[in-house]
Amino acid sequence: MAETHDKPPEQFTIRLRRYDPSSGEAPYWDEHTVELEPHRSVLEAILQARDRFDGSIGIRCSCRQAICGSCGVRVNGEPSLACHTHLDAAKSGSAEGVIEIEPMGNMPVLKDLIVDMDAVHWKKIQRVTPWLLARQPVPEREYLVPKEAMVDVTQTMACIQCGACVSDCLAMEVDPGFIGPAALAKAYRFVGDPRDEQQLQRLHDLAQDPQGLFDCTHCFKCVEACPKDVNPMGQIMRLRRIATGDHHIVDRNNGERHEAAFATLVKDNGLLWEAELLPRSYGGNSWFGKFAPRAGKELLSSLPAILKALLRGKVTPMGALKPHKIPAADLKAVQQIYETIEGRERRYELNLYIVGEDEEEPQAVGAAVAAEQTTGDEGGADQ
Ligand code: SF4
Ligand code: SF4
Ligand code: FES
């Protein structure tokens, strides 16, 4: 690290996306060359360009230490915190040695690199009631919470509300009304907290919302974008598992049925049988599902997409009609995984975010967890 910091200043060219909606003019690129040590940040380069060449450059920042989340931008097309992106790294990741800096996506631009977080990000956060709805009666002193339960929600508590995940969410690009990764990660913060009284109501609300829990398409973009390893998609999967597996919430979006059909098809065939997925998701989780009126209606409305897939060779008639097959031994191995997982009394969640040594001896921690699991104390490490 010391070596990097010892390097003398050098020239970096930054290309900024400029846009002022109030001007009536179209967006344009604006290039400046700044001089800074390579370990300095992209934010410092933008600020130097603003100080030396053009005081009208719009950028939002505060802490300059990757804490406040206000300097979110796209650097070379990737969502980044400008204050947490070194110039040398940004230059080596650029196409022609010119560092391209744009405003975040999925949010309207207020000016240059500043997007309207209120209009999108904060509205969605408000949507999930982002505070604890305390379990009653409130204890006279403090709530006693299992340590594992708090470890479990720590990952979501690391969110700095920078909006990088929102900026890159593919589902939100298609459906701007989707509640989005940051808000759903925030929802898990309280769903996973044993002090919250409204776990079921929160899950019910998010599962039934057509733009809620089941609108995510598992694209992993939010996982890659997050500078704090919050893993929003992982939190969404946890919310779904609790909603479907623990509370058996059958939602009007068919998320629960779709998930069940998916799991059954993989268990029975070793691979997904796509042609059966839709009828089973809508008509019932068995081969007869396709004869249910609801499945027929859904199949009819999907005909254009099915025909398009056939014409483009993405599916073949035989491939659609016959299930995919894997060798019998492999199928047995897949089914063994199901049996092992389904045979467990409780589900295990691994929070890979927390690293480091525990103060207690490993045996003592194991014993504490085992005791907690045996007692079945709700709000433990499985949430
Ligand atoms: S995984 Fe889901 S929430 Fe995350 S970016 Fe993709 S669609 Fe959005
Ligand atoms: S989840 Fe990560 S990327 Fe999304 S707002 Fe929070 S810190 Fe930023
Ligand atoms: S200025 Fe605070 S996170 Fe970058």
Side-chain angles (χ1 to χ4, degrees), residues 165 168-172 178 180-181 184 215-223 232-233 236:
C165 55
D168 252 31
C169 176
L170 295 186
M172 208 181 275
F178 171 40
L184 288 171
D215 219 8
C216 161
T217 56
H218 314 169
C219 72
F220 279 85
K221 289 293 252 180
C222 55
V223 182
M233 193 189 81
I236 296 170

Side-chain angles (χ1 to χ4, degrees), residues 291-337:
F291 302 110
R294 206 158 163 243
K297 206 172 140 210
E298 199 59 35
L299 273 168
L300 266 182
S301 72
S302 304
L303 264 184
I306 296 169
L307 282 176
K308 209 184 271 180
L310 282 167
L311 285 174
R312 291 189 178 164
K314 290 194 171 177
V315 285
T316 59
M318 277 319 278
L321 292 172
K322 281 176 63 182
H324 308 300
K325 284 276 175 222
I326 60 171
D330 293 348
L331 179 59
K332 205 161 174 253
V334 170
Q335 289 172 346
Q336 182 66 50
I337 296 172

